[in-house]
Amino acid sequence: MFSSVDKQTRVKKRTKKEKYDYTAFIWLAPALIMMLIFCYYPPLYAAVLSFTDSTGGDTFNFILFDNYIEIFSDRIFWLGMRNVAVFLVWGLISGNIAPLLLAELLFNMKVTKMSNAFRFLFIIPTLIPGVINMILWQFIILGPEPTSIMNSLIGLFGAEPLAWYYDYSFTPWITWFSLMFTGFPYLGGTSFLIYLAGLQAIPESVIEAAKLDGCTGFGRVFRIDLPFLLGQIKYFMIMGVIGGLQGFGTQMLFTGHGPEYAATVPGFYMYNAAFGGYDRARYGYASAVGMIIFIITLSLTIINMKLINKKEDA
């Protein structure tokens, strides 16, 4: 039972109007307005353009779903979907396994000073401009034909020089290999540091208990480390899906227009449609491609999050 004093206090709390400090909203307003203008308005406008025949001018006509129907009946678009599926799977595998292995090696080094030194050495390449890396890989794989490093290596086995990025044969494997091999051993960036931070956050008591139970080596990696790293894995998987479906920089810079059946991806297809790479500038058509990429990316991201959340709850 509540006393009369307690009842009066509770009534006052319910009836008393809470006072809010709106100062924070004033400070947030400029950032919110800029985000609405530069981050939300463009995709919303693109969604509208996807139903039009816009070529970049001020006048356009609404053609409803004609752009989408044309896209799904275009052979080049489906070839791009095939290619991006290959590059996406490879990117998710190579972009997560290599940094994770490096983080495990650094985490399990007995000498702390050596671990710090190697950490410093592996982070230095991120300071090199990306253009330098691209020139380096073009020299390694393509080079001054036919004297590239790759052609010299296969020449040792009696093979003929290949065009690699610019291969126009009926099989896409050579161009695929060239694009996927670029960046080897896939340790650039700060991914391994994020994984390493996750490993360092594992309680020491958990590691000691695993040692006492005889759970060491790869057994500890799969049973202790990976479950604790699910948050980092989820982040890299989501960002990998988004970047893989939207990216086309490597294809554009290394192959130019490239063989349509091997280098084309949806992002590159959209770029060419918008800026006249195939026929003429078609902003409405390119916007429709962008909306399809957005829907696919959003769907895969949601599925990815649900699958990893189930593992975290298990």
Side-chain angles (χ1 to χ4, degrees), residues 54-68:
S54 173
T55 58
D58 296 331
T59 60
F60 50 79
N61 300 311
F62 283 93
I63 55 176
L64 298 180
F65 295 97
D66 288 359
N67 286 330
Y68 292 93

Side-chain angles (χ1 to χ4, degrees), residues 70-78 80 248 263-275 278 282 285-286 289 293:
E70 183 179 350
I71 290 170
F72 287 120
S73 61
D74 191 348
R75 181 179 65 92
I76 299 178
F77 174 77
W78 289 110
F248 61 94
T264 297
V265 290
F268 200 6
Y269 181 78
M270 177 184 65
Y271 174 84
N272 284 324
F275 298 102
Y278 293 124
R282 301 178 62 188
Y285 189 82
V289 178
I293 296 174

Side-chain angles (χ1 to χ4, degrees), residues 90-209:
W90 176 254
L92 291 176
I93 294 173
S94 61
N96 284 280
I97 291 180
L100 181 58
L101 289 176
L102 176 60
E104 285 285 354
L105 291 173
L106 293 174
F107 178 69
N108 289 285
M109 288 189 71
K110 302 298 182 182
V111 183
T112 305
K113 290 184 178 180
M114 288 294 294
S115 176
N116 293 334
F118 278 114
R119 195 182 313 172
F120 176 74
L121 291 174
F122 277 108
I123 203 65
I124 284 180
T126 61
L127 305 178
I128 301 175
V131 175
I132 303 299
N133 288 326
M134 292 179 183
I135 294 174
L136 174 64
W137 278 104
Q138 282 185 327
F139 179 80
I140 292 173
I141 295 181
L142 192 62
E145 297 182 50
T147 58
S148 69
I149 295 176
M150 291 296 293
N151 280 331
S152 299
L153 289 175
I154 65 174
L156 297 175
F157 300 94
E160 295 293 329
L162 298 174
W164 299 108
Y165 293 123
Y166 299 99
D167 182 76
Y168 281 84
S169 62
F170 289 102
T171 174
W173 296 105
I174 297 174
T175 304
W176 282 358
F177 174 80
S178 304
L179 292 170
M180 291 189 294
F181 187 70
T182 301
F184 181 84
Y186 318 112
L187 294 174
T190 57
S191 302
F192 77 95
L193 289 179
I194 297 177
Y195 278 126
L196 182 60
L199 292 172
Q200 292 173 339
I202 299 176
E204 188 68 27
S205 58
V206 175
I207 297 177
E208 293 296 331

